């Protein structure tokens, strides 16, 4: 049975993964009315949705210390897939932010800049995590994977930031939406650094 942190991470993944599945269905059904923007470059969008969902869901289990101890081989094999999916999600995210015809109310300059920064940092942290594990530097590997996963899970935290505002005053757009989306990534990055420092001070893992 996975521990509480894994359940929390899976809970955060529910809405982004469900939204991705719904978008995937619309695109596969050729529904142009609601998916026109995404149909303008379906390849990266489909890759992004599938890779990001696998990264969030499988990644949640990688942080379960008991599971890792019980089955190191599973952690290693699943880890390769998680790293590849994370890299793909980050790179397709960068691609879409730059090339999709996203209307200004859905992505202004702030969100564009945040997506560029997060996409590059997420790809960089995954490369650093893979390098660290190949060199046998497991503490560094753990820290880089926490950072990468926290950036990927920005999608989950964004739901928590956007939903209350949407319920009170309608779906946020323009600068407010950009700010909420970017702040969610900022919060996740801070939580990641806190977890890494807490781990260095004690032997407990998240
Ligand atoms: C790894 C966790 C992530 C998940 C679960 C995720 C999920 C999704 C989903 C489901 C969509 C489709 C949204 C829709 O149908 O309206 C999407 C779109 C998008 N994602 Fe991600 N994503 C993740 C990470 C990222 C990252 C790191 C970036 C930035 C580099 C990014 C950039 C984008 C962009 C630019 C779009 C298109 C937005 C639009 O056209 O309005 N994503 N993502």
């Amino acid at each position: 049975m996975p521990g509480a942190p894994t359940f929390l991470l899976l809970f955060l993944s529910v809405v982004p993964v469900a939204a991705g599945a719904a978008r995937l269905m619309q695109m596969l059904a050729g529904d142009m009315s609601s998916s026109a923007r995404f149909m303008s470059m379906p390849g990266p969008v489909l890759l992004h949705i599938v890779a990001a969902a696998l990264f969030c869901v499988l990644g949640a289990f990688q942080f379960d210390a008991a599971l890792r101890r019980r089955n190191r081989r599973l952690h290693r094999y699943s880890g390769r897939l998680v790293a590849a999916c994370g890299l793909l999600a980050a790179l397709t995210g960068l691609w879409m932010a730059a090339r999709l015809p996203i209307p200004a109310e859905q992505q202004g300059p702030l969100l564009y800049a945040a997506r560029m920064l997060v996409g590059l940092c997420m790809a960089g942290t995954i490369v650093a995590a893979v390098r660290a594990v190949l060199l046998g530097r497991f503490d560094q590997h753990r820290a880089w994977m926490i950072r990468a996963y926290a950036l990927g899970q920005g999608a989950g935290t964004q739901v928590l930031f956007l939903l209350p505002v949407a319920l009170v005053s309608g779906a946020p757009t323009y600068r407010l939406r950009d700010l909420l989306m970017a702040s969610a990534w900022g919060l996740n990055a801070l939580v990641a650094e806190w977890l890494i420092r807490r781990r260095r001070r004690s032997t407990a893992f998240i």
Side-chain angles (χ1 to χ4, degrees):
M1 181 82 162
T6 300
F7 275 115
L8 176 68
L9 298 177
L10 289 173
F11 172 73
L12 276 178
S13 311
V14 168
V15 175
V17 170
R23 179 67 65 201
L24 213 65
M25 300 292 205
Q26 285 169 354
M27 290 177 70
L28 293 176
D31 178 356
M32 287 300 282
S33 57
S34 49
S35 294
R37 170 160 93 250
F38 301 96
M39 293 297 258
S40 69
M41 42 188 286
V45 175
L46 295 178
L47 276 178
H48 182 74
I49 290 174
V50 174
L54 286 172
F55 179 75
C56 287
V57 174
L58 293 180
F61 291 94
Q62 294 297 97
F63 291 105
D64 194 290
L67 197 68
R68 218 171 38 240
R69 250 179 264 121
R70 264 203 314 276
N71 202 334
R72 288 190 188 278
R73 194 184 293 185
L74 179 67
H75 179 79
R76 275 203 296 272
Y77 286 129
S78 168
R80 285 172 200 166
L81 183 60
V82 169
C85 286
L87 207 50
L88 204 55
L91 296 178
T92 49
L94 283 168
W95 190 358
M96 291 192 302
R99 309 296 298 201
L100 266 185
I102 305 176
E105 72 260 29
Q106 298 286 317
Q107 176 178 278
L110 174 62
L111 181 55
Y112 174 78
R115 278 176 165 158
M116 288 296 145
L117 183 67
V118 168
L120 289 174
C121 288
M122 190 173 155
T125 49
I126 291 172
V127 170
V130 171
R131 185 173 178 271
V133 80
L134 292 176
L135 294 172
R137 297 175 186 162
F138 298 110
D139 272 354
Q140 287 181 16
H141 166 69
R142 203 172 284 127
W144 285 119
M145 269 332 285
I146 290 174
R147 291 185 178 111
Y149 191 82
L151 291 176
Q153 264 302 355
T157 315
Q158 280 157 359
V159 175
L160 300 182
F161 275 42
L162 294 175
L163 195 64
V165 179
L167 289 176
V168 172
S169 55
T173 51
Y174 293 105
R175 244 181 274 175
L176 176 59
R177 182 173 190 275
D178 281 16
L179 194 64
L180 290 169
M181 298 276 283
S183 309
W185 269 315
L187 175 67
N188 277 19
L190 287 176
V191 171
E193 294 310 317
W194 174 73
L195 286 170
I196 293 164
R197 273 157 189 69
R198 193 186 72 152
R199 154 85 192 180
R200 282 184 189 144
R201 282 200 301 271
S202 71
T203 52
F205 191 43
I206 59 167

